[in-house]
């Protein structure tokens, strides 16, 4: 078969300003990184609490490698389950006040494993239009009818729910913090609607875990909605600075997923050292009020500074701070100019965000210091 379309499709992406390429880091993750050979201030990572290169977590991982080796060697159900996996799940369940937790190898795999396990061609999945791609892919894989409502539009959500046959199996699924906009889902309203219309509720706390809630449990904890959310999913790859993901819920949910979730069943268990590292990260998160306070302070300072410069930060209320540019080519040009000034901020373009909403996506972490933020604001002022 001819592969000519590869070249022509990539050329088209280039002409639209949406071509992507990889940059390589030669340093650990952090507020300063060496990227493509250059030391830059980093405003791109999801390492919100600065734990990706934390000495205590590294030590825990190294010790676990000594004790358990590196690879797990098999899927969880065959013979890849080791005690760090089991203990991590026990601790996650305690942390989230749920009966059980189940760990997946990544957030992408969790979303593409949970939704198809629970929903089938006779079910309906209903989600916010700006939900993460992994949720969308999970819904598509499930073969359920897939309804999407305009971003945070509760009236539209209710209109969809009203029309569904009573007794149909349905799930509402939403990000808690939207990954490219940094705004919050109206979770109280969503929980109320899910109860009224008998829908299961799944919340993706990828960006909320570690960041929101007094012990870092996410938006669900912050709003006290634990009892109303059937499926609390989150990643260990962002604020926890590790890798992997979790789902917290009832014992029967865990049992069901172990038996039916293909991305859990048909993949090698996460390396035990990652699970062990995540256990310590969870403890640091639980005790990390000071980290969350620093993070919030940094985010508020930067948000106020950006607004003062006249930038449109959309409805961000979190450490994810978009600067709406609209045009993809212009967003890339701005990112390049900042890079020349020693600052790394990614341009985010369609299809990751809707057409006409290309943006710079800034993320701030607890590891940033005030001078970093001032340096960024100064560079943006003359952009
Ligand atoms: N869900 C959301 C909302 C995300 O932003 C991400 C980020 O990548 C994921 C899921 C996927 O998580 P992971 O990177 O662990 O695969």
């Amino acid at each position: 078969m001819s592969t000519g379309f590869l070249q022509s499709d990539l050329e088209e992406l280039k002409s639209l300003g949406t071509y992507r390429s990889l940059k390589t880091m030669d340093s650990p993750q952090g507020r300063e990184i060496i990227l493509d050979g250059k030391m830059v201030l980093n405003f791109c990572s999801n390492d919100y609490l600065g734990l990706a290169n934390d000495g205590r977590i590294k030590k825990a991982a190294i010790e676990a490698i000594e004790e358990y080796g590196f690879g797990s060697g098999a899927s969880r159900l065959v013979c890849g389950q080791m005690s760090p996996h089991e203990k991590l799940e026990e601790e996650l369940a305690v942390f989230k006040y749920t009966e059980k937790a189940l760990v997946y190898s990544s957030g992408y795999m969790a979303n593409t494993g949970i939704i198809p396990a629970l929903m089938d061609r006779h079910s309906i999945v209903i989600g916010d239009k700006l939900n993460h791609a992994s949720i969308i892919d999970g819904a598509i894989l499930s073969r359920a009818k897939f309804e999407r409502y305009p971003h945070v539009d509760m009236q539209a959500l209710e209109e969809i729910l009203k029309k569904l046959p009573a007794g149909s199996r349905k799930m509402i699924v939403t990000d808690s913090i939207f990954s490219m906009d940094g705004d919050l889902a109206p979770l109280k309203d969503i929980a109320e609607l899910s109860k009224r219309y008998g829908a299961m509720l799944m919340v993706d706390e990828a960006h909320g875990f570690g960041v929101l809630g007094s012990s870092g449990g996410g938006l669900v904890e912050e709003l006290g909605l634990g009892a109303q959310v059937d499926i609390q999913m989150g990643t260990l790859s962002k604020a926890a600075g590790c890798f992997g993901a979790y789902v917290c819920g009832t014992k029967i949910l865990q049992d069901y997923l172990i038996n039916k979730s293909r991305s859990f069943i048909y993949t090698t268990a996460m390396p035990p050292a990652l699970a062990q590292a995540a256990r310590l990260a969870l403890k640091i998160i639980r005790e990390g009020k000071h980290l969350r306070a620093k993070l919030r302070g940094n985010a508020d300072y930067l948000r106020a500074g950006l607004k003062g410069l006249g930038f449109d930060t959309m409805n961000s209320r979190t450490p994810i701070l978009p600067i709406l540019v609209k045009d993809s080519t212009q967003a890339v040009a701005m990112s390049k100019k900042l890079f020349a000034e020693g600052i790394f901020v990614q341009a985010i373009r369609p299809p990751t965000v809707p057409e006409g909403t290309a943006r710079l996506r800034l993320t701030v972490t607890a590891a940033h210091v005030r001078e970093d933020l001032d340096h960024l604001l100064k560079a943006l002022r003359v952009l």
Side-chain angles (χ1 to χ4, degrees), residues 224-238:
L225 291 173
Q228 276 117 288
V229 179
D230 302 291
I231 303 150
Q232 295 190 54
M233 172 272 171
T235 61
L236 301 165
S237 53
K238 304 188 193 304

Side-chain angles (χ1 to χ4, degrees), residues 110-120 125 134-136 138-140 142 171 173 202 257:
N111 283 336
T112 52
I114 297 165
I115 302 171
L118 300 172
M119 308 305 278
D120 61 17
V125 178
S134 54
I135 296 179
I136 295 169
I140 292 169
S142 74
M171 171 195 280
V173 53
M202 171 167 166
L257 294 174

Side-chain angles (χ1 to χ4, degrees), residues 8-218:
S8 56
D9 283 4
L10 288 174
E11 290 307 327
E12 190 189 349
L13 291 181
K14 283 180 187 164
S15 72
L16 294 170
T18 55
Y19 177 76
R20 309 174 201 220
S21 59
L22 296 166
K23 285 190 189 305
T24 303
M25 247 163 57
D26 265 317
S27 64
Q29 187 57 264
R31 52 174 276 281
E32 271 190 324
I33 54 174
I34 300 172
L35 196 63
D36 284 352
K38 181 174 167 156
M39 176 77 87
V40 287
L41 256 182
N42 179 18
F43 288 98
C44 283
S45 85
N46 301 311
D47 181 24
Y48 299 116
L49 300 180
L51 298 183
N53 189 36
D54 184 277
R56 297 162 293 178
I57 297 178
K58 285 198 288 194
K59 188 162 169 277
I62 291 163
E63 285 172 4
I65 290 175
E66 298 290 354
E67 191 173 350
Y68 298 97
F70 187 66
S72 61
S75 68
R76 291 276 297 276
L77 281 164
V78 175
C79 71
Q81 159 128 328
M82 299 186 192
S83 45
H85 302 111
E86 195 181 49
K87 287 191 185 127
L88 173 60
E89 286 170 351
E90 281 167 15
E91 288 160 10
L92 279 162
V94 169
F95 177 72
K96 287 276 191 178
Y97 299 98
T98 55
E99 285 175 8
K100 289 284 178 187
L102 188 69
V103 165
Y104 282 75
S105 294
S106 76
Y108 186 89
M109 290 170 75
N111 283 336
T112 52
I114 297 165
I115 302 171
L118 300 172
M119 308 305 278
D120 61 17
R121 64 176 76 244
H122 308 292
S123 323
I124 306 112
V125 178
I126 311 147
D128 189 291
K129 272 215 165 129
L130 295 192
N131 274 345
H132 189 258
S134 54
I135 296 179
I136 295 169
D137 292 356
I140 292 169
L141 265 177
S142 74
R143 288 178 279 185
K145 184 161 185 253
F146 187 22
E147 298 269 9
R148 299 167 78 195
Y149 53 91
H151 186 46
V152 302
D153 184 338
M154 292 297 95
Q155 236 180 328
L157 170 58
E158 183 156 18
E159 285 309 314
I160 292 171
L161 288 164
K162 263 187 199 160
K163 290 187 190 129
L164 299 179
S168 54
R169 191 190 298 183
K170 42 194 173 283
M171 171 195 280
I172 304 174
V173 53
T174 183
D175 287 19
S176 64
I177 296 180
F178 289 90
S179 57
M180 296 299 131
D181 291 46
D183 59 345
L184 303 177
L187 215 48
K188 268 195 180 146
D189 296 339
I190 295 175
E192 206 271 308
L193 286 172
S194 75
K195 190 169 170 211
R196 187 166 348 137
Y197 290 93
M200 258 183 284
L201 176 55
M202 171 167 166
V203 178
D204 176 338
E205 292 266 33
H207 298 272
F209 175 59
V211 170
L212 298 177
S214 73
S215 60

